[in-house]
Structures are given as structure tokens and as C-alpha cells.
Amino acid sequence: MAEGITKRSEDYSRWYTDIVMKAELADYTPVKGCMVIRPYGFAIWENIKQILDGMIKETGHSNAYFPLFIPESLMKKEAEHVEGFAPECAVVTHGGGKKLEENLYVRPTSETIMYSIFSRWVRSWRDLPLLINQWANVVRWEMRTRLFIRTTEFLWQEGHTAHATHEESKEETLKMLGVYKTFSTEYMAIPVFDGIKSDAEKFAGALKTYAIEGMMQDKKALQAGTSHDLGQNFSKAFDIKFQSKKGTLDYVWQTSWGVSTRLIGALVMAHSDDQGLILPPKIAPIQVVLIPIYRDPEMRSKVIRAVKEIEREMAAVARIRLDDREQYTPGWKFNEWELKGVPIRIEIGPRDLERQQVVLVRRDNGEKISVSRNLLTSRVEELLDEVQHGIYNKALKFRDENTVEIDSYDEFKKRMEDSVFAKSHWCRNPECEKKIKDETKATIRVIEFDAEKEKGKCIICGKDSNGRAIFAKAY
Amino acid sequence: MAEGITKRSEDYSRWYTDIVMKAELADYTPVKGCMVIRPYGFAIWENIKQILDGMIKETGHSNAYFPLFIPESLMKKEAEHVEGFAPECAVVTHGGGKKLEENLYVRPTSETIMYSIFSRWVRSWRDLPLLINQWANVVRWEMRTRLFIRTTEFLWQEGHTAHATHEESKEETLKMLGVYKTFSTEYMAIPVFDGIKSDAEKFAGALKTYAIEGMMQDKKALQAGTSHDLGQNFSKAFDIKFQSKKGTLDYVWQTSWGVSTRLIGALVMAHSDDQGLILPPKIAPIQVVLIPIYRDPEMRSKVIRAVKEIEREMAAVARIRLDDREQYTPGWKFNEWELKGVPIRIEIGPRDLERQQVVLVRRDNGEKISVSRNLLTSRVEELLDEVQHGIYNKALKFRDENTVEIDSYDEFKKRMEDSVFAKSHWCRNPECEKKIKDETKATIRVIEFDAEKEKGKCIICGKDSNGRAIFAKAY
């Protein structure tokens, strides 16, 4: 166990906070519920952002920037939306030393401000589809906060699109859910279930909400991304109409979708251990750390010369950091970079130089590998790939071992005490869903797309079920 | 003159707004003083951000993210600072449906919130220098706004550093001013004067403020970046102390520096003409637009095949856009991409195919160049460079022609009616500075670093002057 990190088995919640703080991902601030994302945590966010931004642009979307403030009158235009969001908003009542004529809400999400402007931009079918994305900060007043997972202010991207037909907007909704799933599995190394939310869990103002859900190491679910089919709810509220090819004046069909800095919390909770962070190489700010080992000055100059050569050679294939600080021992550095989750450590001492080899150590499983010097770069490239897959497969195995089909409510309650992903039949009645939530704290995370293949009986009321839903306790 | 664009000579201010709106850089919103940055404008910001972010990282800084909100008590800790900024703040008084116990200011700049946290991070000389940068939105309540140039909310980067000695912090202040100057001249193609601000114009809470100032086409100055030597003003207010190497407990020495989305306004005002935007290639979202010209379907397929080949070939050397939309004529497209400031247009028709050549047209000076097909890619690379320099040199010539040494206040007043950069002697007395401002609207933009080479007499009071200051009307 690393110094100052509570064991997962002792207190999962403290373990999480210890890692976030000790690895210097984030810190508390004098502002209630708001955190500071420290440079190492922000470097993770920059990697997430760069990769996801590329995927969002490849699918045809452009970035833009809309105002932080939403006038109260706009916020109130879509009835369900204001009911869901207004109670958790921060409200600006004064500006420039005076009381404002109209209160301004700090955006909790940007549907209302964006769509009030979309209504001027969209005139004809030629203006469609309108495919916009925004990287921004949003504010939702939270009572119980947790670093990254739930904070009053957070960073996110929010995509907002408008289409000529519902067919097209549904396709877009599912396409972006697919982008999130690919990103989560291939980059974050977090396997996810994808599907549709129950009405009780959908976005305020959406027709349908789709989500991806990952399993954390305490077997709780974390919603890692959502994509909403907004139908024409907002286009009717904001009067976004277009002249169709046939000459009719129609309301557009809309989608919105987003992921946030809570993904960093998901990374920590899904993969890390009692020594600290474990980061998938594709997301890690530093992929390889080089640690020179020597005892006397003469040895030092030889070893340093060798590691600098390796640093230069490997810069093209990996994000590399040479830790040649003299005030710390190699052992101290091993702990430090384990805590920070660097996927591969390279140790080089005088004996390695003699033998023309180096020692690689994998962060994810502790394996030590001796590699001949001339094969180093290609071996590191392979190994980064192996670590990426190793982390994913471990998470997948854990999730699959803790995802079970449960057909009796007694068993459901018993297994849910320790938390589990329960695939159970449900009659689609919100009352049965509510009973489960009240009694076990488990909610429906998603109903998978292929759920309707199997019919059954609701575990609460025994009535016909059109397919299993995935229930779990969630962050 | 392009359709709907007011001529510069008729109304410079309307010309500017017309270009910003017609080129779809930005738009007004229902939120007073706030704009939306549209995709094309945001793509310019993304280029600015990417280049500058690289320069900021190369000089050793790391990105982080601090809260949007600043508790009133923190805001009030540095006397000059709160006096300067509080009157222009937006204030959150309610959150989560309740009145807050303490008001929260929406950050107008982040010194106070950041430094309240720095005080926990800095303990020893080993923690220094602390080199942080943040890309964020900030809010300053503005009465008279102008798209990009002055808006209530804007995007910017703000660097904040802490050092062990004043020597080091002064060096940092000037280093970052140098980064801004390099960025402005080499990428934005805007020549700037750099130097120190007078006390009347310095940042609220700074010891000294340095700035770069560009000349717009109406001969007014635009401050394009500032760098502040904060001394120990904030470290004393926020109790940021460190154990020095000698064992003493000292206050850190600090700097802050920033540039914002107003740079996009500067780009428009410095280079554009009555046809629309002119963008320097290094900043342009699209560097080369390809326009196929044909009359019948048979010709079309040949021409399209040829331009697609060119598109593929040139993708490696330039940001290229093929405009093969069929609903628009080539003439319409020429106007459209001129309006949007694309540096090079390539026209390809059947006759060009026969002759194995293409026609390049420069946006900055309208020059047409025939190039043989097999030399195209290398010629485009060269030409992008020539355009970049051409735009810079034109702006430099204009600025130098309109920067004059003026030694009498009568001449000063006369020249300042039409606006000019006046290099005039000033006794360093704020009263003389104020008289000039009151009577001519001209302010001191900077005192150049080598100003003290020349002694003279103040143009107002006739007393001794330690060197000329640059006066101008400013945005």
C-alpha cells in the first residue's frame, strides 16, 4: 500500500479521494462544491478532449461557443426542461453594480440558449443538418459533491444538432452514442453497456435518452455518456422551423449529447489499485518514465548518457519522461510514478549498461521484463498496446463476473446489498421501478438494444416483461 | 465591394461588424453584451489556441482549471484589485433555489481564486517556480460592446506564475510578453509595439504592466496582450510564503499574463478589405480553396477527377477545401471565399486540364498566377509563405507610415483628430497624461523599452522627459 492511500477494501470512497488528491489530479477550493483540476489531472482531460474532439469532427460536427448566461425567460420556454434544471441553477441577479432587469441562469446545459439562436440560423432544408459541438464549463448546484464525479462546476462537451426528419435525428443520436462507446472501450479501456434509459431516468425535455454505463470496482455503475433524441420538443418551444424540399414549413428534429470531466473519475475508479492510479496508455499524460540508477558520480554520467539517448530515441513512439532529479532515490521515484499511474517504467543501472539491456516494469500487473537495448523501442510500442488491452480485459472480466441475470426479487435484494449489475425482467411500469429504487437504491441503468429478444415476468409484479433491464446502484 | 459590406471609407465601424457577421465569425445573442462565436470564427480561435498553447507549454507552463466563481471575501483581499474589478462583475446571489450566504463573483480574471489555492501548494523553494496557465471564459460587465473586441463574456488564456525572486518574476513577465509579440508578428501578421504601460493604464493590483499594441486600419491602437509584474502585492494579500534555500520564510513574486478572443477582432481590423476578411495563412481555417469550373456533365466528371487528385495531393501541405457544391456558380463561390478570407483560391477548368496547368489567385492582393500542374504543390507551399509575409509587410508599412514623432501639442491635437500613433515626450506626470486623454481621447499605449535613450521636453508642460511614449486612440 502506498503511503497515505486508504485500501480499497477498507473504505472505497476514501481510497478514491486519496488517489485523486495524492496523484495531484484535483484539489478542493474555497468555493463550495467546486474543484481545481491540477496540471496532471488536466493533462488527462486534454488527452480525452483531443481524441474525442477528433472523433466529433470526423463525424461532421463543428465547434462553436455560446454564452454562459441564459435569460430566465428562455430557460422557461420548454416546460419539462425548466422543471428539471431550474432548481439546480446558480442565478446571477446583479451585474455592473446594479440589479438586473431579468435574472440570468448560469448554464446547466445549453439547449435553451443555443436553440434560441438556431431559430435564426435555420431557414431552409439547405441549412440542415446543423451539427454543432461546444466544449464548455457548466454549473449545477449539487448538495453532495465528489471530486470529478459530481461537482457544482464541471467541464464537458455538448453536441447539439438539428435535422429535417426524425429518421435522421434518431440515426444521429445512436451514432454519437456509438462514438462514446468506442471512445470508452478503445481509449479509456472501460467496457460499457449501452442502451435506452427508462422514462424516469431520461433527460428533462428529451423524447428518449440513451447512455453508456461502466462498472466501477465497487460494482456500482457510472454513467459515462448520454445521447438524447429530443424529438421536436425544443424546436416547437423555440420555433425552429425550416422550409422543406416539398415547400412545407416544418419543425426540425433535434439531438443533444455529452460527456464530462467525470470521465476522469471513471478512469480512477475503474482501473486503479492500492498503490495509486493505473492509466490506460492511450490516455496517460506520461506513457513511459525513465529512471536512471547509479551510486557514484562516474557511474552517473555513464547512466545519464545512456538514458538521454533512450529518451531521444523513444520520443517518437511514446510520451516519455526522464526523471533525473537528484534529490530523490530510485525507490522514491518508483512509488511516485506508480502513484501517478505511468503505464511503463524503465530502469537503467550500470549492470544493465554492461549487459546492453534494460528492465521494463508494467504498472498494471507489476511484471518485470528484461529487454535487449537494441529491441527496446519496438518492445515498448508493443508493450503499450499490451497494457492497454490488459487493463481493458481485466475490467471486462470484472464486469462480466459481476453482471448476473436475476429472476427473483429476494435474490435481487440480497445481491444488491453488496452491489451488482442485475439483468432482470421489468414490466415497464414506473411503480415497479420506483419500488426497487426505494427498497434497494438500485436504478435502471439501461435497457440494452437487444433486450426485447427475451420475454419474461417482472420481478416485482409478475406481469409480462418485454425484456430485461440492467439495474445497479450508481454514482 | 462585396454585397452587404459597408465600405471602410464610409463607416469603419459598420464595415467591421458587417465582415464579422457576413463571414459568419460571430453573431448577436439574446444575452446582453454576449456573442456566439460561430464555427468559422471558432476555427480561427482553435488555430490561435493551438499555436499559443504550444508556445506556452514550450516555455514550461502547464494547463490547469480553477473555479468560475470567486467568493466575495476572496475578491476583496487585494484592495486595488477589488476596486478595479468588482464594479464590472456579474454576481451570483442564488444557487440551488436558495439565497447564498456569501455572494459569488463570476471571475473577471482569476488572480484571487487561484492565489488562495497557490498558498496551499507552495511551501518550499522546491515548489517554485509554479508555472500555471488556464484557458477559460471570463465575464466583465461592459456597457458598450463590440463583437470580439469588447464583450461581456469572452474566452482567453491567463498565465499565473510564482517565483522565488523578483529577478525571476521580472524575467518571466518579459519572456511571456516576448511570446505574445512573436505570436502576433509571426502568426497573426500584426506588427506590434511592446513596452511598459503608464500607471494610469496598468492592471489593478500589478506593480507594472507590459503590453503589445497593434495598429488597426483606422489608425487606432488595439491592445493585443498584456503581461503583469505583480510583485508581492497578491502574495502578501493571500499569504503565499515559501521556505527559501537560506531557511527564511519569504513571500513569492508573481506574474500574470493573457490574451483573449479579441485577437480575432484584431485580425479582422488589421488586414481585411471591402471584399471581406483577409486571413494570414498560418491562422486561416482553410488555406486553399479548390473551385472546379465546367459547363456540361462530361466536362464536370473530368474536372472533378482532377481537383480530387489535387485535393489528395495537397492535403499534406495545406488546410484545403474542395468546393464542389453544384447549386452555386463559380463566380458566387469566388465571392464567398473572398468574403471568408481564404488566402489562396485554385481555379481549374477544362482549358487548364488541357494545358496541364492551374490558376492560383491570391486573396491579399488579387494576383493571378498560372502554375504548371506538376509544380502545383510546391508552388502553393511557397505562396502561402509569400502571402503570410505580404500581409505582414503591408500592415507594417501602414503602421510605420502612421507612426510619427510629434513634438508640439498643437500638431499632436491636429494629427490625433484623424488618429495616429504619436511618439511624444511626456514628463511622467499623470496630470499631463490625463489632459491629453480628456482633450484628444488619446492614451499612452506603451513606453517602448528603448525610450529612455532620448531625453526631451513634455509636450504638455515642457518639463524634462525621460523619453517618448506612444499615444493613440484605442479600442
Side-chain angles (χ1 to χ4, degrees):
Chain A
M1 192 191 68
E3 206 188 332
I5 298 181
T6 308
K7 281 188 188 172
R8 268 171 302 185
S9 55
E10 264 173 35
D11 185 338
Y12 187 82
S13 176
R14 279 204 48 186
W15 165 80
Y16 172 76
T17 304
D18 286 347
I19 289 194
V20 170
M21 297 287 286
K22 300 274 171 189
E24 299 188 337
L25 300 182
D27 202 349
Y28 295 102
T29 71
V31 194
K32 202 177 156 294
C34 293
M35 64 175 174
V36 46
I37 306 179
R38 300 186 71 166
Y40 195 62
F42 202 80
I44 294 175
W45 181 240
E46 288 184 308
N47 286 343
I48 289 175
K49 203 172 151 176
Q50 198 199 348
I51 296 161
L52 204 52
D53 192 64
M55 295 171 83
I56 289 169
K57 284 176 176 157
E58 265 169 41
T59 42
H61 307 84
S62 300
N63 287 334
Y65 187 77
F66 291 75
L68 170 69
F69 297 135
I70 304 173
E72 194 162 35
S73 55
L74 282 187
M75 194 73 194
K76 288 183 171 167
K77 281 201 170 183
E78 209 288 333
E80 259 188 48
H81 189 73
V82 67
E83 200 184 306
F85 281 105
E88 53 182 62
C89 280
V91 186
V92 174
T93 58
H94 291 71
K98 286 187 193 154
K99 179 147 179 36
L100 302 181
E101 284 175 25
E102 182 179 11
N103 287 341
L104 297 175
Y105 286 66
V106 180
R107 64 180 161 222
T109 177
S110 299
E111 277 75 8
T112 55
I113 182 67
M114 285 195 184
Y115 303 168
S116 72
I117 295 163
F118 281 13
S119 70
R120 282 190 285 129
W121 291 354
V122 175
R123 290 272 170 264
S124 134
W125 61 270
R126 287 180 200 85
D127 302 322
L128 300 174
L130 182 62
L131 306 173
I132 298 283
N133 180 60
Q134 167 171 287
W135 292 92
N137 54 341
V138 287
V139 171
R140 296 177 188 176
W141 215 260
E142 298 285 355
M143 288 302 105
R144 301 188 56 186
T145 58
R146 189 192 296 264
L147 295 165
F148 289 115
I149 300 296
R150 195 174 293 279
T151 50
T152 295
E153 183 190 8
F154 57 92
L155 305 181
W156 79 345
Q157 62 67 218
E158 47 181 325
H160 293 268
T161 69
H163 306 261
T165 67
H166 198 196
E167 279 307 296
E168 280 180 50
S169 68
K170 280 191 285 191
E171 189 189 325
E172 167 81 7
T173 308
L174 296 178
K175 182 199 285 174
M176 298 320 292
L177 189 76
V179 164
Y180 290 156
K181 186 175 182 177
T182 300
F183 177 73
S184 183
T185 54
E186 290 185 15
Y187 293 90
M188 305 259 297
I190 300 177
V192 289
F193 286 113
D194 58 342
I196 191 165
K197 290 275 181 190
S198 65
D199 278 357
E201 302 285 333
K202 78 176 169 57
F203 178 78
L207 219 54
K208 293 195 159 84
T209 286
Y210 300 84
I212 55 168
E213 299 273 335
M215 181 184 280
M216 305 296 100
Q217 289 179 77
D218 59 354
K219 300 171 221 160
K220 283 192 192 167
L222 189 140
Q223 177 178 296
T226 50
S227 186
H228 313 296
D229 170 3
L230 301 177
Q232 295 180 314
N233 289 349
F234 286 91
S235 64
K236 284 178 179 168
F238 288 90
D239 201 36
I240 317 178
K241 280 184 287 201
F242 71 102
Q243 184 115 39
S244 73
K245 278 190 186 176
K246 285 177 280 178
T248 55
L249 204 59
D250 298 341
Y251 289 106
V252 297
W253 297 86
Q254 293 186 267
T255 83
S256 69
W257 28 274
V259 303
S260 76
T261 34
R262 86 185 318 225
L263 288 182
I264 299 172
L267 271 178
V268 176
M269 284 206 188
H271 303 312
S272 301
D273 64 18
D274 291 347
Q275 268 62 52
L277 271 183
I278 292 181
L279 291 173
K282 288 186 181 174
I283 298 291
I286 303 167
Q287 295 173 314
V288 179
V289 63
L290 275 170
I291 300 186
I293 299 168
Y294 49 82
R295 251 160 307 163
D296 55 59
E298 196 193 339
M299 248 188 232
R300 180 180 185 279
S301 67
K302 273 189 202 161
V303 171
I304 292 288
R305 205 179 317 127
V307 294
K308 290 215 163 165
E309 194 185 293
I310 293 175
E311 187 191 17
R312 271 194 305 276
E313 184 181 312
M314 286 203 339
V317 303
R319 293 186 285 270
I320 194 157
R321 166 76 65 91
L322 164 60
D323 187 355
D324 58 358
R325 292 176 292 177
E326 297 206 44
Q327 63 266 46
Y328 300 109
T329 64
W332 189 95
K333 291 177 185 177
F334 295 172
N335 285 338
E336 168 80 358
W337 297 113
E338 276 181 9
L339 171 60
K340 294 214 163 173
V342 175
I344 298 175
R345 176 174 86 222
I346 299 183
E347 305 171 2
I348 300 153
R351 226 176 329 163
D352 300 309
L353 286 187
E354 273 170 33
R355 294 185 198 161
Q356 304 230 1
Q357 64 167 39
V358 299
V359 176
L360 308 181
V361 186
R362 279 175 70 152
R363 172 64 183 94
D364 63 322
N365 62 12
E367 193 187 340
K368 288 194 172 204
I369 304 157
S370 284
V371 178
S372 120
R373 173 67 187 84
N374 58 346
L375 297 176
L376 178 61
T377 299
S378 61
R379 187 69 190 97
V380 163
E381 262 189 292
E382 284 167 14
L383 200 57
L384 286 171
D385 217 42
E386 290 167 30
V387 172
Q388 181 78 29
H389 286 96
I391 293 175
Y392 177 78
N393 288 332
K394 191 175 170 196
L396 182 64
K397 183 160 176 280
F398 181 80
R399 186 197 69 172
D400 287 349
E401 282 169 1
N402 292 289
T403 302
V404 287
E405 295 193 347
I406 299 182
D407 292 321
S408 95
Y409 190 45
D410 281 344
E411 195 197 337
F412 185 102
K413 281 191 283 193
K414 209 175 129 209
R415 291 294 306 261
M416 203 53 81
E417 276 170 29
D418 179 44
S419 206
V420 70
F421 274 25
K423 291 187 164 183
S424 295
H425 276 289
W426 168 57
C427 61
R428 274 51 177 171
N429 184 337
E431 281 174 32
C432 293
E433 181 184 10
K434 186 168 184 303
K435 183 175 156 76
I436 292 174
K437 184 175 178 181
D438 290 345
E439 292 180 359
T440 68
K441 289 182 183 161
T443 50
I444 294 175
R445 305 318 304 158
V446 287
I447 302 159
E448 288 183 280
F449 292 110
D450 62 358
E452 302 206 351
K453 278 184 191 161
E454 189 199 283
K455 311 290 172 196
K457 301 290 176 191
C458 177
I459 56 162
I460 297 297
C461 68
K463 288 189 186 153
D464 285 348
S465 152
N466 263 332
R468 294 174 187 274
I470 300 178
F471 291 85
K473 293 182 195 166
Y475 282 97
Chain B
M1 191 191 68
E3 206 188 334
I5 298 181
T6 307
K7 280 189 188 173
R8 269 172 301 186
S9 55
E10 263 172 35
D11 184 338
Y12 187 83
S13 176
R14 278 204 51 186
W15 164 80
Y16 171 75
T17 304
D18 285 346
I19 289 193
V20 169
M21 296 287 286
K22 301 271 172 192
E24 300 189 336
L25 299 183
D27 201 349
Y28 295 103
T29 72
V31 194
K32 202 178 156 295
C34 293
M35 66 176 174
V36 46
I37 306 179
R38 300 187 71 166
Y40 195 63
F42 201 80
I44 294 175
W45 181 240
E46 287 184 310
N47 286 344
I48 290 174
K49 203 172 152 177
Q50 198 199 349
I51 296 161
L52 204 50
D53 192 66
M55 295 171 82
I56 290 170
K57 284 176 176 158
E58 264 170 41
T59 42
H61 307 84
S62 300
N63 288 333
Y65 187 78
F66 291 74
L68 170 70
F69 297 134
I70 304 174
E72 193 162 36
S73 56
L74 283 186
M75 194 73 194
K76 289 182 170 166
K77 281 201 169 184
E78 210 287 334
E80 258 188 50
H81 189 73
V82 66
E83 200 185 306
F85 282 105
E88 52 181 62
C89 281
V91 187
V92 175
T93 57
H94 290 71
K98 286 186 193 153
K99 179 147 179 38
L100 302 181
E101 284 174 26
E102 182 179 11
N103 287 341
L104 297 175
Y105 286 66
V106 180
R107 65 180 162 223
T109 176
S110 298
E111 277 75 7
T112 55
I113 182 66
M114 285 195 183
Y115 303 166
S116 73
I117 295 164
F118 281 13
S119 70
R120 283 190 283 130
W121 291 353
V122 175
R123 289 273 169 264
S124 135
W125 62 270
R126 286 178 200 85
D127 302 321
L128 300 175
L130 183 61
L131 306 172
I132 299 285
N133 180 58
Q134 167 172 285
W135 292 92
N137 54 340
V138 287
V139 171
R140 296 177 188 177
W141 214 260
E142 297 287 354
M143 288 301 105
R144 299 188 57 186
T145 58
R146 189 191 297 262
L147 295 166
F148 289 115
I149 299 296
R150 194 174 295 278
T151 50
T152 296
E153 183 189 9
F154 56 92
L155 304 182
W156 77 345
Q157 63 68 220
E158 47 181 325
H160 293 269
T161 69
H163 307 261
T165 67
H166 198 194
E167 279 308 297
E168 280 180 50
S169 69
K170 279 190 285 191
E171 189 190 325
E172 166 81 7
T173 308
L174 296 179
K175 183 199 287 175
M176 298 320 291
L177 188 75
V179 164
Y180 291 157
K181 186 176 182 176
T182 301
F183 177 74
S184 183
T185 53
E186 291 186 13
Y187 293 89
M188 305 259 297
I190 300 177
V192 289
F193 286 113
D194 58 342
I196 192 164
K197 290 276 179 188
S198 66
D199 279 357
E201 302 285 332
K202 79 176 167 61
F203 178 78
L207 220 54
K208 294 196 159 85
T209 287
Y210 300 84
I212 54 169
E213 300 273 336
M215 180 184 281
M216 304 298 101
Q217 290 179 76
D218 59 354
K219 299 171 222 159
K220 285 194 191 166
L222 189 140
Q223 176 177 296
T226 51
S227 186
H228 314 295
D229 171 3
L230 301 177
Q232 295 180 314
N233 289 348
F234 286 91
S235 64
K236 285 177 179 168
F238 288 90
D239 201 37
I240 316 178
K241 281 184 285 204
F242 72 103
Q243 184 114 40
S244 75
K245 277 188 186 176
K246 286 175 280 177
T248 55
L249 204 57
D250 298 341
Y251 289 106
V252 298
W253 297 85
Q254 294 185 266
T255 84
S256 68
W257 28 273
V259 302
S260 75
T261 34
R262 88 187 316 226
L263 288 183
I264 299 173
L267 272 179
V268 176
M269 283 206 188
H271 303 312
S272 302
D273 64 17
D274 291 347
Q275 269 63 52
L277 272 182
I278 292 180
L279 292 173
K282 288 185 182 175
I283 298 291
I286 303 167
Q287 296 173 314
V288 179
V289 63
L290 275 170
I291 299 185
I293 299 168
Y294 49 82
R295 250 161 306 163
D296 55 60
E298 197 195 337
M299 250 189 232
R300 180 179 185 279
S301 66
K302 273 190 201 161
V303 171
I304 292 289
R305 204 181 316 127
V307 293
K308 290 213 162 164
E309 194 185 293
I310 293 174
E311 187 191 18
R312 270 194 306 276
E313 184 182 310
M314 287 204 338
V317 303
R319 293 187 285 273
I320 194 159
R321 167 76 63 91
L322 165 59
D323 186 354
D324 57 359
R325 291 177 293 178
E326 297 205 44
Q327 64 266 44
Y328 300 110
T329 63
W332 189 95
K333 292 177 185 177
F334 295 171
N335 284 338
E336 167 80 358
W337 297 113
E338 275 181 10
L339 171 61
K340 293 214 161 172
V342 174
I344 297 174
R345 175 174 87 222
I346 300 183
E347 306 170 2
I348 301 153
R351 227 177 326 165
D352 299 310
L353 288 187
E354 273 170 36
R355 294 185 198 160
Q356 303 231 7
Q357 65 167 39
V358 298
V359 175
L360 307 180
V361 185
R362 278 175 71 154
R363 172 65 183 92
D364 63 323
N365 61 11
E367 192 187 343
K368 288 196 170 202
I369 304 157
S370 284
V371 179
S372 116
R373 174 65 188 85
N374 58 345
L375 297 175
L376 178 61
T377 299
S378 61
R379 188 67 191 100
V380 163
E381 261 190 292
E382 284 168 15
L383 199 57
L384 286 171
D385 217 43
E386 290 167 29
V387 173
Q388 181 79 30
H389 287 96
I391 293 174
Y392 177 78
N393 288 332
K394 190 175 170 195
L396 182 63
K397 184 161 175 279
F398 181 81
R399 187 196 68 172
D400 287 349
E401 282 170 2
N402 293 289
T403 301
V404 287
E405 296 193 346
I406 300 181
D407 292 321
S408 96
Y409 189 46
D410 281 343
E411 195 197 338
F412 185 101
K413 281 191 283 193
K414 208 175 128 211
R415 290 295 305 259
M416 203 54 82
E417 276 169 28
D418 178 45
S419 205
V420 71
F421 274 25
K423 292 187 164 183
S424 294
H425 276 289
W426 168 57
C427 60
R428 274 53 176 169
N429 184 336
E431 281 174 32
C432 293
E433 182 184 10
K434 187 169 182 305
K435 183 176 156 76
I436 291 174
K437 185 177 177 180
D438 290 346
E439 293 180 356
T440 69
K441 290 182 183 158
T443 51
I444 294 176
R445 305 318 304 158
V446 288
I447 301 158
E448 287 182 280
F449 293 109
D450 61 358
E452 302 206 351
K453 279 184 191 161
E454 190 200 285
K455 311 289 172 198
K457 302 291 176 192
C458 176
I459 55 162
I460 297 297
C461 68
K463 290 190 184 149
D464 285 349
S465 151
N466 264 330
R468 295 174 186 273
I470 300 178
F471 291 84
K473 293 182 195 166
Y475 282 97

